[in-house]
Amino acid sequence: MKRTTLYIVFALAFVCQSFCSFAQTKAAEYKLPGYEKFVLSNGLTVYLMEQHEVPVINVAAIVPAGAIYDGSQAGLASLTATALKHGTKNYTKTKLEEELDFVGATLATQATKEYASLSAGFAAKDQTKVLPLIKEVLVNPTFDAAEFEKEKKRMLTNLERAKESPRSVMGSYWSAFLYKDHVYANPVTGKVSTVGQLQVADVQKFYQANYIPNGSAIAIVGDFKAKDMKAQISKLFADWKKGTSAQKNLAASVVTAPTGNNVLLINKDDARETTFYIGGVGIKRDNPDYVAIEVVNTVFGGRFTSWLNDELRVNSGLTYGASSRFLPLKNAGTFYISTFTANKTTEPTIDKALEVLNRLHTTGIDETTLQSAKNYVKGQYLPDYETAGQLAGLLTEMFWYGFNESFINSFQANVDQLTTAKAKEIVAKYFPKDKLQFVLVGKAEEIKKIAEKYGPVTEKQIKADGF
């Protein structure tokens, strides 16, 4: 009953915040609400942002414990992040779940390529109950052996099933093919051969090495008094032991750009469609042209009425949808076009995608199209930062990627300042037109000759271990 009630509160919170935010933006340009930032003696960075519209609190935490630290044990970071909730020094897994469920609180943990994260949401009146539970999960996990084995089996089952759906594994194949020996190639999900070998001692060792407060951050947004919350958080996390040294950024090494076209063909014997990515090296998240790149990509493949979708879906009927995306990371990123099509239309679909990319370079973007994209981006941007949960996530993102509120406060101005001439420069600088990388998942017997048209082909079997 309490959970149902809280869900209603969260729903009302979302609606209210959406309405309030909309009303505010009609009156003035959006600015990031004020917040307080401080660092505890153990190095933990804390962000506090008061939001009193509704009686809820959201927490986001970020720890430098992503898949880039897996080494030869692919999947270790992911398994460790999940296992944080398998019991703590003072709570069994069952007791922890009961305590959270009783007050209708949500708490999730996960690992990404670069970092591990925690997110939580709860009623403001329950902060003295839930915040200690969050601290327990982050600081005092015990990694129950029985629960660990259950989770490992789930991961292995998911890995087997994922390869039935090319779109579920394209990202892992793409990273491995593009990043080669760089740690960004590490698959977050792990591999059957590596996950199967993991032991609870590995998770405990990974936790000890990587879950340290110096280099981590926690953001709390919602209905509280900053002064009281500062005292509460400072006391709660004071005993999180500082690491002996700041963690080394393993992703800092240079990503080697491809020197020519290359094709990775992944054979799936029963495939009736070809799923593919085309692209290359992208941008870092703190790139000063990030906003302009997003606007230009909106025209090219970032919205339903994009050039890619229009040509491949609407005008040609070759696919149900096509898009392009920049996926930035802390030290490098990727850019790719993605879509899928029937085996027999693989070649015209790839050719059409390349034709649209070439059009972007040769004809550029006219004023009307650019203005439409600007309006679209500004309209999509504000809803991303309306709720307390979104704002908590933004603050930890700012910490991780090293940008500040000027990104938010200057966003609309930066969009408006983009001209067709500047857009042309952005296309030339950031949208690769040669030395392209192709990853195709499909029936090799039917598409291998087509794949060879675009560059030297490396072939893999989708049923083979790893990516």
Side-chain angles (χ1 to χ4, degrees):
M1 184 65 184
K2 288 193 173 187
R3 167 168 286 209
T4 302
T5 302
L6 192 61
Y7 283 160
I8 294 172
V9 171
F10 277 120
L12 289 173
F14 181 81
V15 171
C16 179
Q17 286 182 314
S18 297
F19 176 81
C20 292
S21 180
F22 177 76
Q24 289 166 359
T25 54
K26 294 293 287 184
E29 285 192 348
Y30 180 81
K31 301 292 183 186
L32 186 67
Y35 63 91
E36 182 177 352
K37 176 185 176 183
F38 57 94
V39 181
L40 302 185
S41 59
N42 59 13
L44 178 66
T45 299
V46 182
Y47 294 83
L48 303 178
M49 179 187 286
E50 294 187 27
Q51 291 280 283
H52 298 290
E53 289 86 354
V54 288
V56 298
I57 292 175
N58 280 82
V59 174
I62 195 165
V63 181
I68 61 173
Y69 296 101
D70 276 349
S72 61
Q73 296 177 296
L76 182 55
S78 180
L79 192 47
T80 304
T82 304
L84 291 174
K85 297 189 300 176
H86 289 172
T88 73
K89 182 179 177 181
N90 296 302
Y91 294 87
T92 64
K93 179 175 181 289
T94 300
K95 183 65 175 173
L96 182 65
E97 291 173 346
E98 286 176 352
E99 292 287 328
L100 292 168
D101 192 57
F102 185 72
V103 295
T106 60
L107 194 158
T109 55
Q110 66 166 345
T112 68
K113 197 176 285 293
E114 295 186 292
Y115 56 78
S117 65
L118 176 150
S119 59
F122 48 91
K125 65 182 179 59
D126 296 320
Q127 59 180 282
T128 57
K129 297 176 183 175
V130 180
L131 287 172
L133 298 178
I134 292 173
K135 178 265 180 91
E136 279 286 307
V137 169
L138 277 175
V139 180
N140 297 317
T142 51
F143 301 114
D144 180 84
E147 293 295 337
F148 169 83
E149 290 300 325
K150 291 180 189 175
E151 189 61 40
K152 189 168 81 171
K153 287 182 180 177
R154 277 194 287 269
M155 280 187 71
L156 290 169
T157 301
N158 289 338
L159 280 168
E160 297 283 0
R161 287 178 178 169
K163 292 203 172 186
E164 294 299 317
S165 171
R167 273 162 271 178
S168 298
V169 292
M170 280 298 287
S172 295
Y173 280 110
W174 175 251
S175 292
F177 191 56
L178 188 70
Y179 289 122
K180 304 291 189 259
D181 295 329
H182 193 278
V183 291
Y184 278 154
N186 295 356
V188 177
T189 56
K191 302 183 288 186
V192 171
S193 61
T194 56
V195 172
Q197 297 298 314
L198 295 178
Q199 303 297 319
V200 71
D202 297 317
V203 168
Q204 292 167 336
K205 185 177 178 181
F206 185 88
Y207 175 84
Q208 292 298 330
N210 299 293
Y211 282 73
I212 54 178
N214 39 321
S216 301
I218 185 167
I220 305 164
V221 179
D223 188 23
F224 56 80
K225 295 292 185 185
K227 181 181 177 182
D228 297 337
M229 183 60 76
K230 183 176 182 178
Q232 190 175 185
I233 291 300
S234 298
K235 183 178 180 181
L236 266 177
F237 288 94
D239 62 350
W240 192 359
K241 190 176 179 181
K242 186 176 183 178
T244 52
S245 60
Q247 196 178 40
K248 187 177 180 181
N249 180 10
L250 297 183
S253 59
V254 175
V255 172
T256 304
T259 56
N261 280 17
N262 295 288
V263 182
L264 174 63
L265 173 59
I266 301 133
N267 178 46
K268 190 173 187 297
D269 287 328
D270 60 351
R272 296 182 178 179
E273 296 176 339
T274 300
T275 304
F276 65 82
Y277 279 13
I278 304 172
V281 176
I283 58 169
K284 298 198 295 184
R285 178 58 182 82
D286 64 352
N287 188 303
D289 290 325
Y290 180 84
V291 173
I293 293 167
E294 284 295 301
V295 176
V296 173
N297 188 56
T298 295
V299 174
F300 179 59
R303 61 178 174 178
F304 191 73
T305 56
S306 70
W307 289 1
L308 271 176
N309 207 48
D310 270 356
E311 284 302 316
L312 274 66
R313 180 184 188 278
V314 180
N315 299 337
S316 305
L318 292 166
T319 179
Y320 290 111
S323 62
S324 63
R325 183 181 183 189
F326 281 85
L327 190 61
L329 292 168
K330 195 169 189 174
N331 296 297
T334 70
F335 161 78
Y336 58 82
I337 297 166
S338 65
T339 189
F340 58 95
T341 188
N343 293 353
K344 63 183 180 182
T345 53
T346 298
E347 185 172 7
T349 304
I350 294 175
D351 285 347
K352 183 63 72 175
L354 296 176
E355 180 184 312
V356 179
L357 179 60
N358 185 58
R359 173 185 162 199
L360 183 69
H361 282 274
T362 55
T363 65
I365 301 171
D366 62 49
E367 183 60 44
T368 302
T369 304
L370 182 62
Q371 188 58 51
S372 171
K374 288 180 180 179
N375 294 339
Y376 178 86
V377 169
K378 287 189 287 187
Q380 292 293 308
Y381 157 73
L382 289 172
D384 288 344
Y385 304 114
E386 287 180 326
T387 69
Q390 290 167 332
L391 289 167
L394 173 64
L395 291 171
T396 52
E397 193 177 342
M398 285 165 50
F399 168 82
W400 185 257
Y401 292 111
F403 62 90
N404 59 30
E405 59 270 27
S406 66
F407 168 75
I408 299 296
N409 298 343
S410 304
F411 185 91
Q412 296 192 53
N414 287 338
V415 171
D416 288 335
Q417 288 169 7
L418 182 62
T419 64
T420 53
K422 176 67 176 176
K424 187 176 181 180
E425 293 175 12
I426 294 294
V427 170
K429 188 172 182 180
Y430 298 109
F431 287 73
K433 63 178 181 180
D434 53 20
K435 300 172 185 174
L436 294 170
Q437 309 306 294
F438 299 72
V439 174
L440 286 68
V441 180
K443 191 170 185 177
E445 181 182 315
E446 297 183 13
I447 63 172
K448 186 172 181 178
K449 288 294 182 185
I450 298 169
E452 290 172 346
K453 172 181 170 182
Y454 303 103
V457 176
T458 300
E459 188 171 340
K460 289 187 175 182
Q461 301 297 316
I462 199 166
K463 291 183 179 178
D465 182 49
F467 303 98

